Coordinates of all heavy atoms in Angstrom, one line a residue:
Chain O
H177 N -37.3 50.5 -189.4 CA -36.5 49.3 -189.3 C -37.2 48.1 -189.8 O -38.4 48.1 -189.8 CB -36.1 49.0 -187.8 CG -35.3 50.2 -187.3 ND1 -34.0 50.5 -187.6 CD2 -35.6 51.2 -186.4 CE1 -33.5 51.5 -186.9 NE2 -34.6 52.0 -186.1
L292 N -75.6 33.2 -165.2 CA -75.4 32.9 -163.8 C -76.3 33.8 -163.0 O -77.0 33.4 -162.0 CB -74.0 33.2 -163.4 CG -73.7 32.7 -161.9 CD1 -73.7 31.2 -161.8 CD2 -72.3 33.2 -161.5
G297 N -76.8 33.2 -159.2 CA -75.5 32.9 -158.8 C -75.1 31.5 -158.4 O -74.0 31.3 -157.8
E300 N -74.3 25.5 -160.3 CA -74.9 24.1 -160.6 C -76.3 24.2 -161.2 O -76.7 23.3 -161.8 CB -74.8 23.2 -159.4 CG -75.0 23.8 -158.1 CD -73.8 24.5 -157.6 OE1 -73.5 25.7 -158.1 OE2 -73.2 24.0 -156.7
R339 N -52.4 24.0 -157.9 CA -51.9 25.4 -158.2 C -51.8 26.3 -157.0 O -52.6 26.1 -156.0 CB -52.9 26.0 -159.1 CG -52.8 25.6 -160.5 CD -53.8 26.3 -161.5 NE -53.4 26.2 -162.9 CZ -54.1 26.9 -163.8 NH1 -55.2 27.5 -163.5 NH2 -53.7 26.7 -165.1
I343 N -58.2 28.3 -160.0 CA -58.8 28.9 -161.2 C -59.2 30.3 -160.9 O -60.0 30.6 -160.1 CB -60.0 28.0 -161.6 CG1 -59.6 26.5 -161.9 CG2 -60.7 28.6 -162.9 CD1 -60.7 25.6 -162.1
V344 N -58.6 31.2 -161.8 CA -58.9 32.7 -161.5 C -59.9 33.2 -162.5 O -60.4 34.3 -162.3 CB -57.6 33.5 -161.4 CG1 -56.8 33.1 -160.2 CG2 -56.9 33.4 -162.7
R346 N -63.3 33.9 -164.1 CA -64.6 33.8 -163.5 C -65.4 32.8 -164.3 O -66.0 31.8 -163.8 CB -65.4 35.1 -163.6 CG -64.9 36.1 -162.4 CD -65.7 37.3 -162.4 NE -65.3 38.3 -163.4 CZ -65.8 39.5 -163.6 NH1 -66.9 39.8 -162.9 NH2 -65.4 40.3 -164.5
Q353 N -67.0 24.5 -161.6 CA -68.0 24.1 -160.5 C -69.1 23.4 -161.0 O -69.6 22.4 -160.5 CB -68.4 25.4 -159.8 CG -69.5 25.1 -158.8 CD -69.3 25.9 -157.5 OE1 -68.2 26.4 -157.2 NE2 -70.3 25.9 -156.7
A357 N -70.1 19.6 -159.9 CA -71.4 19.4 -159.2 C -72.2 18.3 -159.9 O -72.9 17.5 -159.3 CB -72.2 20.7 -159.2
I393 N -47.6 34.0 -161.3 CA -46.4 33.6 -161.9 C -46.1 32.0 -161.8 O -45.8 31.3 -162.7 CB -45.1 34.3 -161.4 CG1 -45.3 35.8 -161.8 CG2 -43.8 33.7 -161.9 CD1 -45.2 36.0 -163.3
Q394 N -46.3 31.5 -160.6 CA -46.0 30.1 -160.3 C -46.8 29.2 -161.2 O -46.3 28.1 -161.5 CB -46.2 29.8 -158.8 CG -46.0 28.4 -158.4 CD -44.6 27.8 -158.7 OE1 -43.6 28.4 -158.7 NE2 -44.6 26.5 -159.0
T459 N -45.0 39.9 -163.4 CA -44.7 39.7 -162.0 C -46.0 40.0 -161.2 O -46.9 40.6 -161.7 CB -43.5 40.6 -161.4 OG1 -43.5 40.6 -160.0 CG2 -43.8 42.1 -161.9
D460 N -46.0 39.4 -160.0 CA -47.2 39.5 -159.2 C -47.1 40.5 -158.0 O -48.0 40.7 -157.2 CB -47.5 38.1 -158.4 CG -47.7 37.0 -159.5 OD1 -48.2 37.3 -160.5 OD2 -47.5 35.9 -159.1
I461 N -45.9 41.2 -157.9 CA -45.6 42.0 -156.7 C -46.0 43.4 -156.8 O -45.7 44.2 -155.9 CB -44.1 41.9 -156.3 CG1 -43.2 42.6 -157.3 CG2 -43.8 40.4 -156.1 CD1 -41.8 42.7 -156.8
Y465 N -50.1 48.7 -160.0 CA -49.3 49.0 -161.2 C -49.4 47.9 -162.2 O -48.5 47.7 -163.0 CB -47.9 49.3 -160.8 CG -47.6 50.4 -159.8 CD1 -47.9 50.3 -158.4 CD2 -47.3 51.7 -160.3 CE1 -47.7 51.4 -157.6 CE2 -47.1 52.8 -159.4 CZ -47.3 52.6 -158.1 OH -47.1 53.7 -157.3
K491 N -56.1 49.3 -161.4 CA -57.0 48.8 -160.3 C -57.1 47.3 -160.4 O -57.8 46.7 -159.5 CB -58.4 49.4 -160.5 CG -58.5 50.8 -160.0 CD -58.8 51.0 -158.6 CE -58.9 52.5 -158.2 NZ -60.0 53.1 -158.9
L494 N -57.7 45.0 -157.4 CA -58.0 45.8 -156.3 C -59.4 46.4 -156.3 O -60.0 46.5 -155.2 CB -56.9 47.0 -156.2 CG -55.5 46.5 -156.0 CD1 -54.5 47.8 -156.2 CD2 -55.3 46.0 -154.7
G495 N -59.9 46.8 -157.4 CA -61.2 47.5 -157.5 C -61.6 47.7 -158.8 O -61.1 47.3 -159.9
L496 N -62.7 48.5 -158.9 CA -63.4 48.8 -160.2 C -62.7 50.0 -160.8 O -62.6 51.0 -160.1 CB -64.9 49.1 -160.0 CG -65.7 48.0 -159.6 CD1 -67.2 48.4 -159.3 CD2 -65.8 46.9 -160.8
Q526 N -43.7 53.2 -188.1 CA -42.8 54.2 -187.5 C -43.0 55.6 -187.9 O -42.4 56.5 -187.4 CB -41.4 53.7 -187.9 CG -40.3 54.2 -186.9 CD -38.9 53.8 -187.4 OE1 -38.6 52.6 -187.4 NE2 -38.1 54.8 -187.8
D529 N -43.7 57.9 -184.9 CA -42.4 58.1 -184.2 C -41.5 59.0 -184.8 O -40.9 59.9 -184.2 CB -41.7 56.7 -184.0 CG -42.5 55.7 -183.3 OD1 -43.5 55.1 -183.9 OD2 -42.3 55.4 -182.1
S533 N -40.3 62.5 -183.3 CA -38.9 62.7 -182.9 C -38.4 63.9 -183.7 O -37.5 64.7 -183.1 CB -38.1 61.5 -183.3 OG -38.6 60.4 -182.5
L549 N -49.7 60.1 -177.9 CA -50.8 59.4 -177.6 C -51.8 60.1 -176.7 O -53.0 60.0 -176.8 CB -50.5 58.0 -177.0 CG -49.9 57.0 -177.9 CD1 -49.5 55.7 -177.1 CD2 -50.9 56.6 -179.0
D550 N -51.3 60.9 -175.9 CA -52.1 61.7 -174.9 C -51.6 63.2 -174.9 O -50.8 63.5 -173.9 CB -52.0 61.0 -173.5 CG -52.8 61.8 -172.5 OD1 -53.4 62.8 -172.7 OD2 -52.8 61.4 -171.3
E560 N -46.1 72.3 -166.2 CA -45.6 72.3 -164.8 C -44.2 73.0 -164.7 O -44.0 73.7 -163.7 CB -45.6 70.9 -164.3 CG -46.9 70.3 -163.9 CD -46.8 68.9 -163.3 OE1 -45.8 68.7 -162.5 OE2 -47.5 68.0 -163.8
T561 N -43.4 72.7 -165.6 CA -42.0 73.2 -165.4 C -41.9 74.5 -166.2 O -41.2 75.5 -165.7 CB -41.0 72.2 -166.0 OG1 -41.2 70.9 -165.5 CG2 -39.6 72.6 -165.7
S574 N -36.8 71.6 -171.2 CA -37.1 72.1 -169.8 C -36.1 71.4 -168.8 O -35.9 71.9 -167.7 CB -38.5 71.7 -169.4 OG -38.8 70.4 -169.8
F580 N -28.2 75.5 -171.2 CA -27.5 74.3 -171.4 C -28.4 73.3 -172.0 O -29.3 72.7 -171.3 CB -27.2 73.9 -170.0 CG -26.4 72.6 -169.8 CD1 -25.0 72.7 -170.0 CD2 -27.0 71.4 -169.7 CE1 -24.3 71.5 -169.9 CE2 -26.3 70.2 -169.6 CZ -24.9 70.3 -169.8
S582 N -28.6 69.9 -174.8 CA -27.9 69.0 -175.8 C -28.5 69.1 -177.1 O -27.8 69.1 -178.1 CB -28.0 67.6 -175.3 OG -29.3 67.2 -175.2
T586 N -26.4 69.9 -180.3 CA -26.4 69.0 -181.4 C -26.7 69.6 -182.7 O -26.1 69.3 -183.8 CB -27.6 67.9 -181.2 OG1 -27.3 67.3 -179.9 CG2 -27.5 66.8 -182.3
R590 N -24.5 69.4 -186.0 CA -25.1 68.9 -187.2 C -24.9 70.0 -188.3 O -24.4 69.5 -189.4 CB -26.6 68.7 -186.9 CG -27.3 67.9 -188.0 CD -28.8 67.8 -187.6 NE -29.4 66.7 -188.4 CZ -30.7 66.6 -188.4 NH1 -31.5 67.5 -187.7 NH2 -31.3 65.6 -189.1
E600 N -19.4 62.5 -196.0 CA -19.7 61.2 -196.3 C -18.5 60.3 -196.5 O -18.4 59.3 -195.8 CB -20.5 61.2 -197.7 CG -22.0 61.6 -197.5 CD -22.6 60.9 -196.3 OE1 -22.6 59.6 -196.2 OE2 -23.1 61.7 -195.4
K617 N -13.2 75.2 -189.5 CA -13.1 75.8 -188.2 C -13.7 77.2 -188.3 O -14.5 77.7 -187.6 CB -11.8 75.8 -187.6 CG -11.7 76.3 -186.1 CD -10.4 76.2 -185.6 CE -10.4 76.6 -184.1 NZ -9.0 76.7 -183.5
Y620 N -17.3 77.6 -188.9 CA -18.0 77.3 -187.7 C -18.0 78.5 -186.8 O -19.1 79.0 -186.3 CB -17.2 76.2 -186.9 CG -17.9 75.8 -185.6 CD1 -19.1 75.3 -185.4 CD2 -17.2 76.3 -184.5 CE1 -19.7 75.1 -184.2 CE2 -17.7 76.0 -183.2 CZ -19.0 75.4 -183.1 OH -19.6 75.2 -181.9
Q625 N -20.3 80.1 -181.9 CA -20.0 79.0 -181.1 C -20.9 78.9 -179.9 O -20.8 77.8 -179.2 CB -18.5 79.2 -180.7 CG -17.5 79.4 -181.8 CD -16.1 79.4 -181.2 OE1 -15.9 79.8 -180.1 NE2 -15.2 78.9 -182.0
L627 N -23.4 78.1 -177.1 CA -24.2 76.9 -176.9 C -25.7 77.3 -176.7 O -26.6 76.5 -176.7 CB -23.8 76.2 -175.7 CG -22.4 75.6 -175.6 CD1 -22.3 74.6 -174.4 CD2 -22.1 74.9 -176.9
Chain H
H177 N -39.6 29.2 -161.4 CA -39.3 28.6 -162.6 C -37.8 28.7 -162.9 O -37.1 29.6 -162.4 CB -40.1 29.4 -163.7 CG -41.6 29.4 -163.5 ND1 -42.3 28.2 -163.9 CD2 -42.5 30.3 -163.1 CE1 -43.6 28.4 -163.6 NE2 -43.7 29.7 -163.2
L292 N -18.6 72.3 -167.2 CA -19.2 73.3 -168.2 C -19.7 74.6 -167.5 O -19.5 75.7 -168.1 CB -20.3 72.6 -169.0 CG -20.8 73.5 -170.2 CD1 -19.9 73.5 -171.3 CD2 -22.1 72.8 -170.7
G297 N -20.7 77.7 -169.6 CA -21.6 77.0 -170.6 C -21.0 77.0 -172.1 O -21.6 76.7 -173.0
E300 N -16.3 74.9 -176.0 CA -15.0 75.0 -176.5 C -14.0 75.6 -175.5 O -12.8 75.4 -175.7 CB -14.9 75.7 -177.8 CG -15.9 76.9 -177.9 CD -17.3 76.4 -178.2 OE1 -18.0 76.0 -177.3 OE2 -17.7 76.7 -179.3
N338 N -26.5 62.4 -190.3 CA -27.7 62.1 -190.9 C -28.8 61.5 -189.9 O -29.8 61.0 -190.4 CB -27.5 61.2 -192.1 CG -26.6 61.9 -193.1 OD1 -26.7 63.1 -193.3 ND2 -25.6 61.1 -193.7
R339 N -28.6 61.6 -188.7 CA -29.5 61.1 -187.8 C -30.7 62.0 -187.7 O -30.6 63.2 -188.0 CB -28.9 61.1 -186.3 CG -28.0 59.9 -186.0 CD -27.6 59.9 -184.7 NE -27.0 58.7 -184.1 CZ -26.6 58.5 -183.0 NH1 -26.7 59.5 -182.0 NH2 -26.1 57.3 -182.5
I343 N -27.2 64.0 -181.7 CA -26.6 63.6 -180.4 C -27.5 64.1 -179.3 O -27.7 65.4 -179.1 CB -25.2 64.2 -180.3 CG1 -24.3 63.6 -181.4 CG2 -24.6 63.7 -178.9 CD1 -23.0 64.3 -181.4
V344 N -28.2 63.3 -178.5 CA -29.1 63.7 -177.5 C -28.5 63.6 -176.1 O -29.0 64.2 -175.1 CB -30.3 62.9 -177.5 CG1 -31.1 63.2 -178.8 CG2 -30.1 61.4 -177.4
R346 N -26.3 64.9 -173.2 CA -25.7 66.2 -172.9 C -24.2 66.1 -173.0 O -23.6 66.9 -173.6 CB -26.3 66.7 -171.6 CG -27.7 67.1 -171.7 CD -28.1 67.8 -170.4 NE -28.5 66.9 -169.4 CZ -28.9 67.1 -168.2 NH1 -28.9 68.4 -167.8 NH2 -29.2 66.2 -167.3
Q353 N -19.0 68.9 -179.6 CA -18.8 70.3 -179.9 C -17.3 70.7 -179.6 O -16.7 71.4 -180.5 CB -19.7 71.2 -179.1 CG -19.4 72.7 -179.3 CD -20.7 73.5 -179.5 OE1 -21.7 73.0 -179.7 NE2 -20.5 74.8 -179.3
A357 N -14.8 72.1 -182.5 CA -14.3 73.4 -182.3 C -12.7 73.4 -182.3 O -12.1 74.3 -182.9 CB -14.8 74.1 -181.0
I393 N -36.2 56.1 -182.2 CA -36.3 54.8 -182.7 C -35.4 54.7 -184.0 O -34.7 53.8 -184.2 CB -37.8 54.4 -182.9 CG1 -38.5 54.2 -181.6 CG2 -37.9 53.2 -183.8 CD1 -38.0 53.1 -180.7
Q394 N -35.6 55.7 -184.8 CA -35.0 55.7 -186.1 C -33.4 55.5 -186.0 O -32.8 54.9 -186.9 CB -35.4 56.9 -187.0 CG -34.6 57.0 -188.3 CD -34.8 55.8 -189.2 OE1 -35.9 55.2 -189.2 NE2 -33.8 55.5 -190.0
T459 N -40.7 53.0 -178.0 CA -41.4 53.8 -179.0 C -41.2 55.3 -178.6 O -41.0 55.5 -177.4 CB -42.9 53.5 -179.1 OG1 -43.6 54.5 -179.9 CG2 -43.6 53.4 -177.7
D460 N -41.4 56.2 -179.6 CA -41.3 57.6 -179.3 C -42.6 58.4 -179.1 O -42.6 59.6 -179.0 CB -40.5 58.3 -180.4 CG -39.1 57.7 -180.6 OD1 -38.6 57.1 -179.6 OD2 -38.6 57.7 -181.8
I461 N -43.7 57.7 -179.3 CA -45.0 58.4 -179.4 C -45.8 58.7 -178.1 O -47.0 59.0 -178.2 CB -46.0 57.7 -180.4 CG1 -46.4 56.3 -179.9 CG2 -45.3 57.5 -181.7 CD1 -47.6 55.7 -180.7
Y465 N -45.6 59.3 -170.7 CA -45.7 57.9 -170.3 C -44.4 57.2 -170.6 O -44.3 56.0 -170.8 CB -46.8 57.2 -171.1 CG -48.1 57.8 -170.8 CD1 -48.6 58.9 -171.5 CD2 -49.0 57.3 -169.8 CE1 -49.9 59.5 -171.2 CE2 -50.3 57.8 -169.6 CZ -50.7 58.9 -170.3 OH -52.0 59.4 -169.9
K491 N -42.0 62.4 -166.7 CA -41.7 63.8 -167.2 C -40.5 63.7 -168.2 O -40.2 64.8 -168.8 CB -41.2 64.7 -166.0 CG -42.4 65.1 -165.1 CD -43.1 66.3 -165.6 CE -44.2 66.7 -164.7 NZ -43.7 67.0 -163.3
L494 N -40.1 66.2 -171.1 CA -41.1 67.3 -170.9 C -40.7 68.3 -169.8 O -41.0 69.5 -169.9 CB -42.5 66.7 -170.6 CG -43.1 65.8 -171.7 CD1 -44.3 65.1 -171.2 CD2 -43.4 66.6 -172.9
G495 N -40.2 67.8 -168.7 CA -39.9 68.7 -167.6 C -39.1 68.0 -166.4 O -38.7 66.9 -166.6
L496 N -39.0 68.7 -165.3 CA -38.3 68.2 -164.2 C -39.2 67.4 -163.4 O -40.3 67.8 -163.0 CB -37.8 69.4 -163.4 CG -36.7 70.2 -164.0 CD1 -36.4 71.5 -163.2 CD2 -35.4 69.4 -164.1
Q526 N -38.6 34.6 -156.8 CA -40.0 34.4 -156.9 C -40.7 34.4 -155.5 O -41.9 34.3 -155.4 CB -40.3 33.1 -157.7 CG -41.7 33.1 -158.3 CD -42.0 31.8 -159.1 OE1 -41.3 31.5 -160.1 NE2 -42.9 31.0 -158.6
D529 N -43.4 37.0 -155.0 CA -44.5 36.7 -155.9 C -45.4 35.7 -155.3 O -46.6 35.8 -155.2 CB -44.1 36.3 -157.3 CG -43.2 37.4 -158.0 OD1 -42.1 37.6 -157.6 OD2 -43.8 38.1 -158.9
S533 N -49.2 36.1 -154.1 CA -50.2 35.4 -154.7 C -51.0 34.5 -153.8 O -52.2 34.4 -154.0 CB -49.6 34.6 -155.9 OG -49.0 35.4 -156.8
L549 N -45.0 46.3 -153.9 CA -43.9 47.4 -154.0 C -44.4 48.7 -153.5 O -43.6 49.5 -153.0 CB -43.5 47.5 -155.5 CG -42.7 46.4 -156.1 CD1 -42.5 46.6 -157.6 CD2 -41.4 46.2 -155.4
D550 N -45.7 49.0 -153.6 CA -46.2 50.2 -153.1 C -47.5 50.0 -152.3 O -48.6 50.2 -152.8 CB -46.4 51.2 -154.2 CG -47.1 52.5 -153.8 OD1 -47.2 52.8 -152.7 OD2 -47.3 53.3 -154.8
E560 N -61.0 52.8 -152.5 CA -61.9 53.5 -153.4 C -63.2 52.8 -153.6 O -64.3 53.3 -153.6 CB -61.2 53.8 -154.7 CG -60.3 55.0 -154.7 CD -59.6 55.3 -156.1 OE1 -60.4 55.2 -157.0 OE2 -58.4 55.4 -156.2
T561 N -63.0 51.4 -153.8 CA -64.1 50.6 -154.2 C -64.8 50.0 -152.9 O -66.0 50.0 -152.8 CB -63.8 49.5 -155.1 OG1 -63.0 50.0 -156.2 CG2 -64.9 48.7 -155.6
S574 N -63.2 42.8 -155.0 CA -64.0 44.1 -155.3 C -64.5 44.0 -156.7 O -65.5 44.7 -157.0 CB -63.1 45.2 -155.0 OG -61.9 45.1 -155.7
F580 N -70.5 37.0 -156.3 CA -69.9 36.4 -157.5 C -68.4 36.5 -157.5 O -67.8 37.6 -157.8 CB -70.5 37.3 -158.7 CG -70.1 36.7 -160.0 CD1 -70.9 35.7 -160.6 CD2 -69.0 37.1 -160.7 CE1 -70.5 35.1 -161.8 CE2 -68.6 36.6 -161.9 CZ -69.4 35.6 -162.5
S582 N -64.7 34.5 -158.5 CA -64.0 33.3 -159.0 C -63.1 32.6 -158.0 O -63.0 31.5 -157.8 CB -63.3 33.6 -160.2 OG -62.3 34.6 -159.9
T586 N -63.2 29.0 -156.9 CA -62.0 28.2 -157.0 C -61.8 27.4 -155.8 O -61.4 26.2 -155.8 CB -60.8 29.0 -157.4 OG1 -61.2 29.8 -158.5 CG2 -59.7 28.2 -157.6
R590 N -61.2 23.6 -155.4 CA -60.0 23.1 -154.9 C -60.2 22.1 -153.7 O -59.6 21.0 -153.7 CB -59.1 24.3 -154.5 CG -57.7 24.0 -154.2 CD -57.0 25.2 -153.7 NE -55.6 25.1 -153.8 CZ -54.8 26.0 -153.3 NH1 -55.2 27.0 -152.6 NH2 -53.5 25.8 -153.4
K617 N -69.8 13.5 -154.9 CA -70.9 14.5 -155.1 C -71.6 14.8 -153.8 O -71.7 16.0 -153.5 CB -71.9 14.0 -156.2 CG -72.9 15.1 -156.5 CD -73.9 14.5 -157.6 CE -74.9 15.7 -158.0 NZ -76.0 15.2 -159.0
Y620 N -69.6 16.8 -151.6 CA -69.5 18.2 -152.0 C -70.8 19.0 -151.6 O -70.6 20.1 -151.0 CB -69.4 18.2 -153.5 CG -69.5 19.6 -154.1 CD1 -68.5 20.5 -154.0 CD2 -70.7 20.0 -154.8 CE1 -68.6 21.8 -154.5 CE2 -70.8 21.3 -155.3 CZ -69.8 22.2 -155.2 OH -69.9 23.4 -155.7
Q625 N -72.9 24.2 -151.6 CA -72.7 24.5 -153.0 C -72.8 26.0 -153.3 O -72.4 26.4 -154.4 CB -73.9 23.8 -153.8 CG -74.0 22.3 -153.5 CD -75.0 21.8 -154.4 OE1 -76.1 22.5 -154.8 NE2 -74.9 20.6 -154.9
L627 N -72.2 29.7 -154.0 CA -71.0 30.4 -154.5 C -70.6 31.5 -153.6 O -69.5 32.1 -153.8 CB -71.3 30.9 -155.9 CG -71.7 30.0 -157.0 CD1 -71.6 30.6 -158.3 CD2 -70.7 28.8 -157.0

Side-chain angles (χ1 to χ4, degrees):
Chain O
H177 300 288
L292 189 71
E300 38 279 74
R339 278 181 163 185
I343 300 175
V344 295
R346 284 185 280 178
Q353 172 137 343
I393 292 296
Q394 175 58 31
T459 168
D460 301 334
I461 68 171
Y465 298 82
K491 286 272 178 64
L494 297 172
L496 290 171
Q526 203 182 297
D529 298 75
S533 296
L549 286 176
D550 178 3
E560 281 179 44
T561 308
S574 47
F580 184 86
S582 59
T586 305
R590 197 185 195 188
E600 284 317 303
K617 188 179 181 185
Y620 174 73
Q625 305 186 325
L627 297 194
Chain H
H177 299 288
L292 188 70
E300 38 279 74
N338 298 323
R339 277 181 164 186
I343 300 175
V344 295
R346 284 186 280 178
Q353 173 138 343
I393 291 297
Q394 175 57 32
T459 168
D460 301 334
I461 67 170
Y465 299 82
K491 287 275 179 61
L494 297 172
L496 292 170
Q526 203 181 298
D529 298 75
S533 296
L549 285 176
D550 179 2
E560 278 179 47
T561 309
S574 49
F580 185 85
S582 60
T586 306
R590 196 184 195 188
K617 187 178 182 186
Y620 173 72
Q625 306 185 325
L627 298 193

